[in-house]
Amino acid sequence: SSRIISRQITPSLIASLKSQSLKAASQFPDYNFRQYFSRITTEDFEKLERDIADGEGNLVAMPERIQKAYEKLQERHLLMQRQVQIHALYSRRTSFMDNPSGEMETVSPASKKSVDEMHAREDEEEQV
C-alpha cells in the first residue's frame, strides 16, 4: 500500500476525514451498501475517538498510534471512494428501499432509456 504523507493529526483533521468518509458512503447507488458503509464508518471513528482521545476531544494517545490509526482510516476512505466508482459502473438493480413503489428495475437508467426507445420503435412498426 502507498505510504500516506506524515503530518500532525489534529481533532479537526480526524473530523474532516470522518465527514469525507460519510460523504463517500452516501454516494453508493445501492441502499444496503450506503447503510453498511455509513454504519461501519461511524463505528470506526467512534472507536478511534475512544482509543485516542479523552472525554473533551483532546488527543492523549502516543503520536505514532494516532498516525497509524489515521492512516488506516484514510486508506479505508480511499478504498471506499474506489468502490463507489466501481459499484456505479456495474450496478444494475435498484433496491426496494430506493424505489418504494415496488417496481424493481433490473437495468441501469441509461439502459432503461434505450430499452424504452426500442419498445417505442416496435410499437410504431406494429401500427404501420
Side-chain angles (χ1 to χ4, degrees):
S1 74
S2 63
R3 192 80 181 134
I4 298 170
I5 297 172
S6 180
R7 60 181 159 181
Q8 184 176 356
I9 306 302
T10 63
S12 63
L13 197 57
I14 293 171
S16 176
L17 181 59
K18 180 180 181 180
S19 175
Q20 292 171 6
S21 295
L22 287 171
K23 182 178 179 184
S26 73
Q27 293 176 344
F28 275 96
D30 184 272
Y31 171 84
N32 294 318
F33 281 91
R34 280 194 310 272
Q35 293 303 311
Y36 171 75
F37 284 106
S38 293
R39 186 181 74 245
I40 65 166
T41 297
T42 301
E43 290 171 357
D44 287 346
F45 278 92
E46 286 173 355
K47 181 182 183 311
L48 173 68
E49 290 165 4
R50 281 192 311 271
D51 289 349
I52 67 170
D54 62 13
E56 286 121 36
N58 300 315
L59 302 179
V60 294
M62 298 298 292
E64 300 83 24
R65 185 172 176 199
I66 295 170
Q67 182 72 31
K68 186 175 180 179
Y70 182 83
E71 287 176 0
K72 181 179 175 184
L73 290 172
Q74 194 170 33
E75 287 174 5
R76 283 189 184 175
H77 168 72
L78 296 172
L79 175 70
M80 193 176 354
Q81 285 182 317
R82 290 189 300 270
Q83 289 299 317
V84 165
Q85 293 171 345
I86 291 169
H87 196 270
L89 290 171
Y90 296 102
S91 178
R92 293 202 162 268
R93 191 172 184 139
T94 303
S95 167
F96 173 77
M97 297 302 288
D98 288 329
N99 189 5
S101 69
E103 294 182 28
M104 297 295 285
E105 294 184 21
T106 56
V107 294
S108 68
S111 298
K112 184 175 182 359
K113 183 178 177 186
S114 299
V115 170
D116 290 343
E117 290 171 354
M118 182 181 71
H119 287 300
R121 282 193 299 266
E122 288 174 355
D123 290 342
E124 289 173 5
E125 290 173 3
E126 287 178 5
Q127 293 175 354
V128 176

